[in-house]
Amino acid sequence: MAINAKGDIFVLEGYGGMYSNADAYRQVVRKIRPDGAVTTLPGKLSDRVTEIAADGNDNIFYASGCAIMQLKADGSLAVFAGNVEEKGYADGSALQARFASPRGLSFDQAGNLWVIDAPAYEYERGGVALPSPRVLRLWYGQTLRRITPDGSVTTYAGTPGQVLERPFPDHSPAWQLWNSKVDSQGRIYLYSSSGRAAVYRIDGPGSEPSK
């Protein structure tokens, strides 16, 4: 679910087959206005999405691979920032920027899109999507990125461009969280309500997350 600056609520709805059936399953976005009117936005999402962000123009944003996708108000779908299959670290224009594992998208009142960039794991063999004894290294991530309305990507907090080898030095668990919010004073909160349930706050550019 996402709420934009106008108070519109956006929710995900899946239909057309079992969730595990990639060919039949479809996922769309429903919009609920403050007056209670419900509409379905045009177009559909490209992945099984669990979290979205929405701007004031009914554009929907979500993470896919190493990129951020945009489902536009006209129903067209495009890469908004990064590259789906190319992990890395780079600031700059949206399509030239690179991310490791973007998540936790949210908009502030100025229209900036905030992104938690979690590290991407490299394993000895196979493995799951969480740290384990088989993790060899952590690629990039561990940063909070800001995308301005003109599409410029900058690193707001965290140490950019790191590749951490085993045995891993201490690193903040804040970068493993799944959600972000910005308050009226510009402070950013990183949080999760399940699994790694915690709340961290970043008070300004270059600040480290603190509980």
Side-chain angles (χ1 to χ4, degrees):
M1 184 182 77
I3 303 175
N4 68 9
K6 296 178 180 178
D8 300 317
I9 299 172
F10 299 84
V11 295
L12 295 167
E13 182 176 29
Y15 66 95
M18 295 296 292
Y19 187 83
S20 59
N21 186 336
D23 294 328
Y25 187 78
R26 289 170 56 88
Q27 199 171 30
V28 297
V29 180
R30 308 291 299 278
K31 174 184 174 181
I32 307 171
R33 296 191 330 206
D35 64 6
V38 179
T39 56
T40 300
L41 299 187
K44 65 174 185 175
L45 308 180
S46 60
D47 296 292
R48 295 181 176 91
V49 177
T50 58
E51 59 177 71
I52 56 175
D55 67 13
N57 297 312
D58 291 357
N59 296 301
I60 303 299
F61 300 82
Y62 62 95
S64 176
C66 303
I68 297 163
M69 304 297 294
Q70 179 184 18
L71 179 64
K72 299 180 181 180
D74 64 5
S76 60
L77 184 67
V79 174
F80 177 71
N83 183 297
V84 174
E85 297 181 349
E86 184 181 336
K87 71 174 178 287
Y89 169 77
D91 284 336
S93 62
L95 294 180
Q96 297 301 314
R98 291 294 178 267
F99 301 84
S101 182
R103 60 175 66 167
L105 279 59
S106 65
F107 279 95
D108 64 18
Q109 294 178 343
N112 298 304
L113 180 60
W114 295 86
V115 183
I116 299 172
D117 195 15
Y121 301 113
E122 182 178 329
Y123 299 92
E124 293 175 347
R125 60 188 184 282
V128 296
L130 294 174
S132 75
R134 294 179 293 180
V135 176
L136 286 175
R137 56 185 59 87
L138 305 180
W139 287 93
Y140 311 114
Q142 302 190 87
T143 54
L144 178 68
R145 315 288 289 279
R146 177 175 61 188
I147 308 176
T148 59
D150 67 2
S152 298
V153 180
T154 56
T155 298
Y156 189 83
T159 304
Q162 294 186 101
V163 178
L164 301 181
E165 306 278 349
R166 288 180 64 184
F168 301 122
D170 291 338
H171 60 285
S172 175
W175 307 120
Q176 314 297 323
L177 301 178
W178 285 91
N179 307 96
S180 68
K181 291 292 180 186
V182 185
D183 69 14
S184 60
Q185 299 182 37
R187 295 173 298 196
I188 300 98
Y189 297 84
L190 314 181
Y191 66 96
S192 179
S193 58
S194 61
R196 300 173 183 269
V199 178
Y200 286 78
R201 190 177 76 190
I202 299 174
D203 290 322
S207 301
E208 288 298 318
S210 60
K211 276 192 172 181

